[in-house]
Amino acid sequence: MEQLEFFAVPSPCIGVCQMNNRGYCKGCFRSRDERFNWLKFSDSQKREVIRLCQDRKRRVVALARKKTTRTRLRGNAI
């Protein structure tokens, strides 16, 4: 059963608008196509993009934590 939608799906943009090395926005984690086509997407497509962005952000944060931990461990080994 699909949930009723009473409000439009808001853009995940936070105004950073810089690309990372993989081509995703550093602020909202959308691809170029996802950003340019946002207004054309249906609400279900927008929700899917937001889900993808959340996954991308989780991966970036996890990688950053891993790098920080590795750097700390190296510093303690000296």
Side-chain angles (χ1 to χ4, degrees):
M1 183 172 155
E2 190 164 326
Q3 183 176 346
L4 293 175
E5 296 293 328
F6 294 104
F7 302 101
V9 178
S11 169
C13 180
I14 61 169
V16 172
C17 304
Q18 294 177 3
M19 298 299 100
N20 68 14
N21 60 343
R22 300 197 53 128
Y24 297 112
C25 176
K26 290 181 179 182
C28 66
F29 295 92
R30 287 184 291 174
S31 70
R32 178 184 172 105
D33 287 340
E34 291 166 347
R35 287 182 290 115
F36 288 163
N37 294 309
W38 184 258
L39 296 176
K40 297 176 188 175
F41 287 159
S42 68
D43 283 353
S44 62
Q45 289 171 307
K46 290 177 181 179
R47 285 190 297 275
E48 176 62 12
V49 168
I50 289 173
R51 186 192 67 73
L52 292 170
C53 293
Q54 291 168 341
D55 288 346
R56 292 172 190 145
K57 182 176 181 177
R58 273 189 223 109
R59 285 193 299 268
V60 168
V61 169
L63 182 61
R65 284 184 187 145
K66 188 175 182 179
K67 285 181 180 180
T68 300
T69 301
R70 196 176 311 146
T71 301
R72 286 183 186 157
L73 291 175
R74 286 183 187 155
N76 290 336
I78 297 175

Coordinates of all heavy atoms in Angstrom, one line a residue:
M1 N 0.8 -1.2 0.0 CA 0.0 0.0 0.0 C 0.9 1.2 0.0 O 1.8 1.4 0.8 CB -0.9 0.0 1.2 CG -1.8 1.1 1.3 SD -3.0 0.8 2.7 CE -3.4 2.4 3.1
E2 N 0.6 2.2 -0.9 CA 1.4 3.4 -1.0 C 0.9 4.5 0.0 O -0.3 4.6 0.1 CB 1.4 3.9 -2.4 CG 2.4 5.0 -2.6 CD 2.6 5.3 -4.1 OE1 2.6 4.3 -4.9 OE2 2.8 6.4 -4.4
Q3 N 1.8 5.2 0.6 CA 1.5 6.2 1.5 C 1.0 7.5 0.8 O 1.5 7.8 -0.3 CB 2.7 6.6 2.3 CG 2.4 7.6 3.4 CD 3.7 7.9 4.3 OE1 4.6 7.1 4.2 NE2 3.7 8.9 5.0
L4 N 0.0 8.1 1.3 CA -0.5 9.3 0.7 C 0.5 10.5 0.9 O 1.1 10.6 2.0 CB -1.9 9.7 1.3 CG -3.0 8.8 1.1 CD1 -4.2 9.3 1.8 CD2 -3.3 8.8 -0.4
E5 N 0.7 11.3 -0.1 CA 1.6 12.4 0.0 C 0.8 13.7 0.0 O 0.0 14.0 -0.8 CB 2.5 12.4 -1.2 CG 3.4 11.2 -1.3 CD 4.5 11.2 -0.2 OE1 4.9 12.2 0.3 OE2 4.8 10.0 0.2
F6 N 1.0 14.5 1.1 CA 0.3 15.7 1.2 C 1.2 16.9 0.8 O 0.8 18.0 0.6 CB -0.2 15.9 2.6 CG -1.3 14.9 3.0 CD1 -1.0 13.8 3.8 CD2 -2.5 15.1 2.4 CE1 -2.0 12.9 4.1 CE2 -3.5 14.1 2.7 CZ -3.3 13.1 3.5
F7 N 2.5 16.7 0.9 CA 3.5 17.8 0.6 C 4.5 17.4 -0.5 O 4.8 16.2 -0.6 CB 4.3 18.2 1.9 CG 3.4 18.6 3.0 CD1 3.0 17.7 4.0 CD2 2.8 19.8 3.0 CE1 2.2 18.0 5.1 CE2 2.0 20.2 4.1 CZ 1.7 19.3 5.1
A8 N 5.0 18.3 -1.2 CA 6.0 18.0 -2.2 C 7.3 17.6 -1.5 O 7.5 18.0 -0.4 CB 6.2 19.2 -3.1
V9 N 8.0 16.7 -2.2 CA 9.3 16.3 -1.6 C 10.3 17.4 -1.8 O 10.6 17.9 -2.9 CB 9.8 15.0 -2.4 CG1 11.2 14.6 -1.8 CG2 8.8 13.9 -2.2
P10 N 10.9 17.9 -0.7 CA 11.8 19.1 -0.8 C 13.2 18.6 -1.3 O 13.6 17.5 -1.2 CB 11.9 19.5 0.7 CG 11.6 18.3 1.5 CD 10.7 17.5 0.7
S11 N 13.8 19.6 -1.9 CA 15.2 19.3 -2.5 C 16.1 19.1 -1.3 O 16.0 19.8 -0.3 CB 15.6 20.5 -3.3 OG 17.0 20.4 -3.6
P12 N 17.1 18.2 -1.4 CA 18.0 17.9 -0.3 C 19.2 19.0 -0.4 O 20.1 18.9 0.4 CB 18.5 16.5 -0.6 CG 18.4 16.4 -2.1 CD 17.2 17.2 -2.5
C13 N 19.1 19.9 -1.3 CA 20.2 20.9 -1.4 C 20.4 21.7 -0.1 O 19.5 22.1 0.5 CB 19.9 21.8 -2.6 SG 21.2 23.1 -2.8
I14 N 21.7 21.8 0.3 CA 22.0 22.6 1.5 C 22.9 23.8 1.1 O 23.5 24.5 2.0 CB 22.7 21.8 2.6 CG1 24.0 21.2 2.1 CG2 21.7 20.7 3.1 CD1 24.8 20.5 3.2
G15 N 23.0 24.0 -0.2 CA 23.8 25.2 -0.7 C 25.3 25.1 -0.8 O 25.9 26.1 -0.9
V16 N 25.8 23.9 -0.7 CA 27.3 23.7 -0.8 C 27.7 23.7 -2.3 O 28.6 24.5 -2.7 CB 27.7 22.5 -0.1 CG1 29.2 22.2 -0.4 CG2 27.5 22.6 1.4
C17 N 27.0 22.9 -3.1 CA 27.2 22.9 -4.5 C 28.6 22.8 -5.0 O 29.1 23.6 -5.8 CB 26.5 24.1 -5.2 SG 24.7 24.2 -4.7
Q18 N 29.4 21.9 -4.5 CA 30.7 21.6 -5.0 C 30.8 20.1 -5.2 O 30.2 19.3 -4.5 CB 31.8 21.9 -3.9 CG 31.9 23.4 -3.7 CD 32.9 23.7 -2.6 OE1 33.6 22.8 -2.1 NE2 33.0 24.9 -2.2
M19 N 31.5 19.7 -6.3 CA 31.6 18.3 -6.6 C 32.8 17.6 -5.9 O 33.8 18.1 -5.8 CB 31.8 18.1 -8.1 CG 30.7 18.6 -9.0 SD 29.1 17.8 -8.7 CE 28.3 19.0 -7.6
N20 N 32.5 16.3 -5.5 CA 33.6 15.5 -5.0 C 34.3 14.8 -6.2 O 33.9 15.0 -7.3 CB 33.1 14.5 -3.9 CG 32.2 13.4 -4.4 OD1 32.1 13.2 -5.6 ND2 31.6 12.8 -3.5
N21 N 35.3 14.0 -5.9 CA 36.0 13.3 -6.9 C 35.2 12.2 -7.7 O 35.6 11.8 -8.7 CB 37.3 12.7 -6.4 CG 37.0 11.6 -5.3 OD1 36.0 11.6 -4.7 ND2 38.0 10.8 -5.0
R22 N 34.1 11.9 -7.2 CA 33.2 10.9 -7.9 C 32.1 11.6 -8.6 O 31.2 10.9 -9.2 CB 32.7 9.9 -6.9 CG 33.8 9.2 -6.2 CD 33.4 7.9 -5.5 NE 32.6 7.1 -6.4 CZ 32.9 5.8 -6.6 NH1 33.9 5.2 -5.9 NH2 32.2 5.1 -7.4
G23 N 32.0 12.9 -8.6 CA 31.0 13.6 -9.3 C 29.7 13.9 -8.6 O 28.7 14.3 -9.2
Y24 N 29.7 13.6 -7.3 CA 28.5 13.9 -6.4 C 28.7 15.2 -5.7 O 29.9 15.6 -5.3 CB 28.3 12.8 -5.4 CG 28.0 11.5 -6.1 CD1 28.9 10.4 -6.0 CD2 26.8 11.3 -6.8 CE1 28.6 9.2 -6.6 CE2 26.5 10.1 -7.4 CZ 27.4 9.0 -7.3 OH 27.1 7.9 -7.9
C25 N 27.6 15.9 -5.5 CA 27.7 17.2 -4.7 C 28.2 16.9 -3.3 O 27.7 15.9 -2.6 CB 26.3 17.8 -4.7 SG 26.2 19.3 -3.7
K26 N 29.1 17.7 -2.8 CA 29.6 17.5 -1.4 C 28.6 17.8 -0.4 O 28.7 17.4 0.8 CB 30.8 18.3 -1.2 CG 32.1 17.9 -1.9 CD 33.3 18.8 -1.7 CE 34.5 18.3 -2.4 NZ 35.7 19.1 -2.1
G27 N 27.6 18.6 -0.7 CA 26.5 19.0 0.2 C 25.4 18.0 0.3 O 25.0 17.5 1.4
C28 N 24.8 17.7 -0.8 CA 23.6 16.9 -0.8 C 23.8 15.5 -1.4 O 22.9 14.6 -1.3 CB 22.5 17.5 -1.6 SG 22.8 17.7 -3.4
F29 N 25.0 15.2 -2.0 CA 25.3 13.9 -2.5 C 24.5 13.5 -3.7 O 24.4 12.3 -4.0 CB 25.3 12.8 -1.4 CG 26.3 13.0 -0.3 CD1 26.0 13.8 0.8 CD2 27.6 12.6 -0.5 CE1 26.9 14.0 1.8 CE2 28.5 12.8 0.5 CZ 28.2 13.5 1.7
R30 N 24.0 14.4 -4.4 CA 23.3 14.1 -5.7 C 24.3 14.2 -6.8 O 25.2 14.9 -6.8 CB 22.1 15.1 -6.0 CG 20.9 14.9 -5.1 CD 19.8 15.9 -5.5 NE 20.2 17.2 -5.2 CZ 19.5 18.3 -5.5 NH1 18.3 18.2 -6.2 NH2 19.9 19.5 -5.2
S31 N 24.0 13.4 -7.9 CA 24.8 13.4 -9.1 C 24.3 14.6 -9.9 O 23.3 15.3 -9.6 CB 24.5 12.2 -9.9 OG 23.2 12.1 -10.5
R32 N 25.1 14.9 -10.9 CA 24.8 16.0 -11.8 C 23.4 15.9 -12.4 O 22.5 16.8 -12.4 CB 25.8 16.1 -12.9 CG 25.6 17.2 -13.9 CD 26.7 17.1 -15.0 NE 26.4 18.0 -16.1 CZ 27.0 19.2 -16.3 NH1 28.0 19.6 -15.5 NH2 26.6 20.0 -17.3
D33 N 23.1 14.7 -13.0 CA 21.8 14.4 -13.5 C 20.7 14.5 -12.5 O 19.6 15.1 -12.8 CB 21.7 13.0 -14.2 CG 22.5 13.0 -15.5 OD1 22.8 14.0 -16.1 OD2 22.9 11.8 -15.9
E34 N 20.9 14.1 -11.3 CA 19.9 14.2 -10.3 C 19.6 15.6 -9.9 O 18.5 16.0 -9.6 CB 20.3 13.4 -9.0 CG 20.3 11.9 -9.3 CD 21.1 11.1 -8.2 OE1 21.8 11.7 -7.4 OE2 21.0 9.8 -8.2
R35 N 20.6 16.4 -9.9 CA 20.4 17.8 -9.6 C 19.7 18.6 -10.7 O 18.7 19.3 -10.5 CB 21.7 18.6 -9.3 CG 22.3 18.2 -8.0 CD 23.6 18.9 -7.7 NE 24.7 18.4 -8.6 CZ 25.3 19.1 -9.5 NH1 25.0 20.4 -9.7 NH2 26.2 18.6 -10.3
F36 N 20.1 18.3 -11.9 CA 19.5 19.0 -13.1 C 18.1 18.6 -13.4 O 17.3 19.4 -13.9 CB 20.4 18.8 -14.3 CG 21.7 19.6 -14.3 CD1 22.7 19.2 -15.2 CD2 21.9 20.6 -13.4 CE1 23.9 19.9 -15.2 CE2 23.1 21.3 -13.4 CZ 24.1 21.0 -14.3
N37 N 17.8 17.4 -13.1 CA 16.4 16.9 -13.4 C 15.5 16.9 -12.2 O 14.4 16.4 -12.3 CB 16.5 15.4 -13.9 CG 17.2 15.5 -15.3 OD1 16.8 16.2 -16.2 ND2 18.2 14.6 -15.4
W38 N 15.9 17.4 -11.0 CA 15.1 17.3 -9.8 C 13.7 17.8 -10.0 O 12.7 17.2 -9.6 CB 15.8 18.2 -8.7 CG 15.0 18.1 -7.4 CD1 14.2 19.0 -6.9 CD2 15.0 17.0 -6.5 NE1 13.7 18.5 -5.7 CE2 14.2 17.3 -5.4 CE3 15.7 15.7 -6.5 CZ2 14.0 16.4 -4.4 CZ3 15.5 14.9 -5.4 CH2 14.6 15.2 -4.4
L39 N 13.5 18.9 -10.7 CA 12.1 19.5 -10.9 C 11.3 18.6 -11.8 O 10.0 18.7 -11.8 CB 12.2 20.9 -11.4 CG 12.9 21.9 -10.4 CD1 13.0 23.3 -11.0 CD2 12.1 22.0 -9.1
K40 N 11.9 17.8 -12.6 CA 11.2 17.0 -13.6 C 10.8 15.6 -12.9 O 9.9 14.9 -13.4 CB 12.0 16.7 -14.8 CG 12.3 17.9 -15.6 CD 13.3 17.5 -16.8 CE 13.8 18.8 -17.5 NZ 14.8 18.5 -18.5
F41 N 11.4 15.2 -11.9 CA 11.2 14.0 -11.2 C 9.8 13.9 -10.5 O 9.4 14.9 -10.0 CB 12.3 13.7 -10.2 CG 13.6 13.3 -10.7 CD1 14.7 13.4 -9.9 CD2 13.8 12.8 -12.0 CE1 16.0 13.1 -10.4 CE2 15.0 12.5 -12.5 CZ 16.1 12.6 -11.7
S42 N 9.2 12.7 -10.5 CA 8.0 12.5 -9.7 C 8.4 12.4 -8.3 O 9.6 12.3 -7.9 CB 7.4 11.2 -10.2 OG 8.2 10.1 -9.8
D43 N 7.4 12.5 -7.4 CA 7.8 12.4 -6.0 C 8.4 11.1 -5.6 O 9.3 11.0 -4.8 CB 6.5 12.6 -5.1 CG 6.1 14.1 -5.0 OD1 6.8 14.9 -5.5 OD2 5.0 14.3 -4.5
S44 N 8.0 10.0 -6.2 CA 8.6 8.7 -6.0 C 10.1 8.7 -6.5 O 10.9 8.1 -5.8 CB 7.8 7.5 -6.5 OG 7.8 7.6 -7.9
Q45 N 10.4 9.3 -7.6 CA 11.7 9.4 -8.1 C 12.6 10.3 -7.1 O 13.7 9.9 -6.8 CB 11.8 10.0 -9.5 CG 11.2 9.1 -10.5 CD 11.1 9.8 -11.9 OE1 10.5 10.8 -12.0 NE2 11.7 9.2 -12.9
K46 N 12.0 11.3 -6.6 CA 12.7 12.2 -5.7 C 13.0 11.5 -4.4 O 14.1 11.6 -3.9 CB 11.9 13.5 -5.4 CG 11.8 14.4 -6.5 CD 10.9 15.6 -6.2 CE 10.8 16.6 -7.3 NZ 9.9 17.7 -7.0
R47 N 12.1 10.7 -3.9 CA 12.4 9.9 -2.7 C 13.5 8.9 -2.9 O 14.3 8.6 -2.0 CB 11.1 9.2 -2.2 CG 10.1 10.2 -1.5 CD 9.0 9.4 -0.8 NE 8.1 8.7 -1.8 CZ 7.1 9.2 -2.5 NH1 6.8 10.4 -2.3 NH2 6.5 8.4 -3.3
E48 N 13.5 8.3 -4.1 CA 14.6 7.3 -4.4 C 15.9 8.0 -4.5 O 16.9 7.5 -4.0 CB 14.3 6.6 -5.8 CG 15.4 5.7 -6.2 CD 15.6 4.5 -5.3 OE1 14.8 4.3 -4.4 OE2 16.7 3.9 -5.5
V49 N 16.0 9.2 -5.1 CA 17.2 10.0 -5.1 C 17.7 10.3 -3.7 O 18.9 10.2 -3.4 CB 17.0 11.3 -5.9 CG1 18.2 12.3 -5.7 CG2 16.9 11.0 -7.4
I50 N 16.8 10.7 -2.8 CA 17.1 11.0 -1.4 C 17.6 9.8 -0.7 O 18.6 9.8 0.0 CB 15.9 11.6 -0.7 CG1 15.6 13.0 -1.2 CG2 16.1 11.6 0.8 CD1 14.4 13.7 -0.7
R51 N 17.0 8.6 -1.0 CA 17.5 7.4 -0.4 C 19.0 7.1 -0.9 O 19.9 6.8 -0.1 CB 16.6 6.2 -0.8 CG 17.0 4.9 -0.1 CD 16.3 3.7 -0.7 NE 16.7 3.4 -2.1 CZ 17.9 2.9 -2.4 NH1 18.8 2.6 -1.5 NH2 18.2 2.7 -3.7
L52 N 19.2 7.3 -2.2 CA 20.6 7.1 -2.7 C 21.6 8.1 -2.1 O 22.7 7.7 -1.8 CB 20.5 7.3 -4.3 CG 19.8 6.2 -5.1 CD1 19.6 6.6 -6.5 CD2 20.5 4.9 -5.0
C53 N 21.1 9.3 -1.9 CA 22.0 10.3 -1.3 C 22.4 9.9 0.1 O 23.5 10.1 0.5 CB 21.3 11.7 -1.3 SG 21.1 12.4 -3.0
Q54 N 21.4 9.4 0.9 CA 21.7 9.0 2.2 C 22.7 7.9 2.3 O 23.6 7.8 3.1 CB 20.4 8.6 2.9 CG 19.5 9.8 3.2 CD 18.0 9.4 3.6 OE1 17.6 8.2 3.4 NE2 17.3 10.3 4.2
D55 N 22.5 6.9 1.3 CA 23.5 5.8 1.2 C 24.9 6.3 0.9 O 25.9 5.9 1.5 CB 23.1 4.8 0.2 CG 21.9 4.0 0.6 OD1 21.5 4.0 1.8 OD2 21.3 3.3 -0.3
R56 N 25.0 7.3 -0.1 CA 26.3 7.8 -0.4 C 26.9 8.6 0.7 O 28.1 8.4 1.0 CB 26.1 8.8 -1.6 CG 25.7 8.1 -2.9 CD 25.3 9.2 -3.9 NE 24.7 8.5 -5.1 CZ 23.7 9.0 -5.8 NH1 23.3 10.2 -5.6 NH2 23.2 8.4 -6.9
K57 N 26.1 9.3 1.5 CA 26.6 10.0 2.6 C 27.2 9.1 3.7 O 28.2 9.3 4.2 CB 25.6 11.0 3.2 CG 26.1 11.8 4.4 CD 25.0 12.7 4.9 CE 25.6 13.6 6.0 NZ 24.6 14.6 6.5
R58 N 26.4 8.0 3.9 CA 26.9 7.0 4.9 C 28.2 6.4 4.5 O 29.1 6.2 5.4 CB 25.8 5.9 5.0 CG 24.8 6.2 6.0 CD 23.9 4.9 6.3 NE 22.5 5.4 6.3 CZ 21.6 5.2 5.4 NH1 21.9 4.4 4.3 NH2 20.4 5.6 5.5
R59 N 28.4 6.1 3.2 CA 29.7 5.6 2.8 C 30.8 6.6 3.0 O 31.9 6.2 3.4 CB 29.6 5.1 1.3 CG 28.8 3.8 1.2 CD 29.0 3.2 -0.2 NE 28.5 4.1 -1.3 CZ 27.3 4.1 -1.8 NH1 26.4 3.3 -1.4 NH2 27.0 4.9 -2.8
V60 N 30.6 7.8 2.6 CA 31.6 8.9 2.8 C 32.0 9.0 4.2 O 33.1 9.1 4.6 CB 31.1 10.2 2.1 CG1 32.0 11.3 2.5 CG2 31.0 10.1 0.6
V61 N 31.0 9.1 5.1 CA 31.2 9.3 6.5 C 32.0 8.1 7.1 O 32.9 8.2 7.9 CB 29.9 9.5 7.3 CG1 30.1 9.4 8.8 CG2 29.3 10.9 6.9
A62 N 31.6 6.9 6.7 CA 32.3 5.7 7.2 C 33.7 5.6 6.7 O 34.6 5.3 7.5 CB 31.5 4.4 6.7
L63 N 34.0 6.0 5.5 CA 35.3 6.1 5.0 C 36.2 7.1 5.7 O 37.3 6.8 6.1 CB 35.3 6.4 3.5 CG 36.7 6.4 2.8 CD1 37.4 5.0 2.9 CD2 36.5 6.8 1.3
A64 N 35.6 8.3 6.0 CA 36.3 9.3 6.7 C 36.6 8.8 8.1 O 37.7 9.1 8.6 CB 35.5 10.6 6.8
R65 N 35.7 8.1 8.8 CA 36.0 7.6 10.1 C 37.1 6.6 10.1 O 38.0 6.5 11.0 CB 34.7 6.9 10.7 CG 33.7 7.9 11.2 CD 32.6 7.2 11.9 NE 31.5 8.1 12.2 CZ 30.2 7.8 12.1 NH1 29.8 6.7 11.8 NH2 29.3 8.8 12.5
K66 N 37.1 5.7 9.1 CA 38.1 4.7 8.9 C 39.5 5.4 8.7 O 40.5 4.9 9.4 CB 37.8 3.8 7.7 CG 38.6 2.6 7.6 CD 38.1 1.7 6.4 CE 39.0 0.5 6.3 NZ 38.4 -0.4 5.2
K67 N 39.6 6.4 7.9 CA 40.8 7.1 7.7 C 41.3 7.8 9.0 O 42.5 7.8 9.3 CB 40.7 8.1 6.6 CG 40.6 7.5 5.2 CD 40.5 8.6 4.2 CE 40.4 8.0 2.8 NZ 40.3 9.1 1.8
T68 N 40.4 8.4 9.7 CA 40.7 9.1 11.0 C 41.2 8.1 12.0 O 42.3 8.3 12.7 CB 39.5 9.8 11.6 OG1 39.0 10.8 10.6 CG2 39.8 10.5 12.9
T69 N 40.6 6.9 12.1 CA 41.0 5.9 13.0 C 42.4 5.4 12.7 O 43.3 5.2 13.5 CB 40.0 4.7 13.1 OG1 38.8 5.2 13.4 CG2 40.5 3.6 14.0
R70 N 42.6 5.1 11.4 CA 43.9 4.7 10.9 C 45.0 5.7 11.2 O 46.1 5.3 11.7 CB 43.8 4.4 9.4 CG 45.0 3.6 8.9 CD 44.8 3.3 7.4 NE 43.5 2.8 7.1 CZ 42.9 3.0 5.9 NH1 43.4 3.7 5.0 NH2 41.7 2.5 5.7
T71 N 44.7 7.0 11.0 CA 45.7 8.0 11.3 C 46.0 8.1 12.8 O 47.2 8.2 13.2 CB 45.2 9.4 10.8 OG1 44.9 9.3 9.4 CG2 46.2 10.5 11.1
R72 N 45.0 7.9 13.6 CA 45.2 7.9 15.1 C 46.1 6.8 15.5 O 46.9 6.9 16.4 CB 43.9 7.9 15.8 CG 43.2 9.2 15.8 CD 41.9 9.2 16.6 NE 41.1 10.4 16.4 CZ 39.8 10.5 16.6 NH1 39.1 9.4 17.0 NH2 39.2 11.6 16.4
L73 N 45.8 5.6 15.0 CA 46.6 4.4 15.3 C 48.0 4.6 14.9 O 48.9 4.2 15.7 CB 45.9 3.2 14.7 CG 44.6 2.7 15.2 CD1 44.0 1.6 14.4 CD2 44.7 2.4 16.7
R74 N 48.3 5.2 13.8 CA 49.6 5.4 13.4 C 50.3 6.4 14.3 O 51.5 6.2 14.6 CB 49.7 5.9 11.9 CG 49.4 4.9 10.9 CD 49.5 5.4 9.5 NE 49.1 4.5 8.5 CZ 48.6 4.8 7.3 NH1 48.6 6.0 6.9 NH2 48.2 3.8 6.5
G75 N 49.6 7.4 14.7 CA 50.2 8.4 15.6 C 50.6 7.8 17.0 O 51.6 8.1 17.6
N76 N 49.8 6.8 17.4 CA 50.1 6.2 18.7 C 51.2 5.2 18.6 O 51.8 4.8 19.6 CB 48.8 5.4 19.2 CG 47.7 6.4 19.7 OD1 48.0 7.6 20.0 ND2 46.5 6.0 19.7
A77 N 51.5 4.7 17.4 CA 52.5 3.7 17.3 C 53.9 4.3 17.3 O 54.9 3.6 17.5 CB 52.3 3.0 15.9
I78 N 54.0 5.6 17.2 CA 55.3 6.2 17.2 C 55.9 6.4 18.6 O 55.3 6.5 19.5 CB 55.2 7.6 16.5 CG1 54.8 7.4 15.0 CG2 56.5 8.4 16.6 CD1 54.6 8.7 14.3

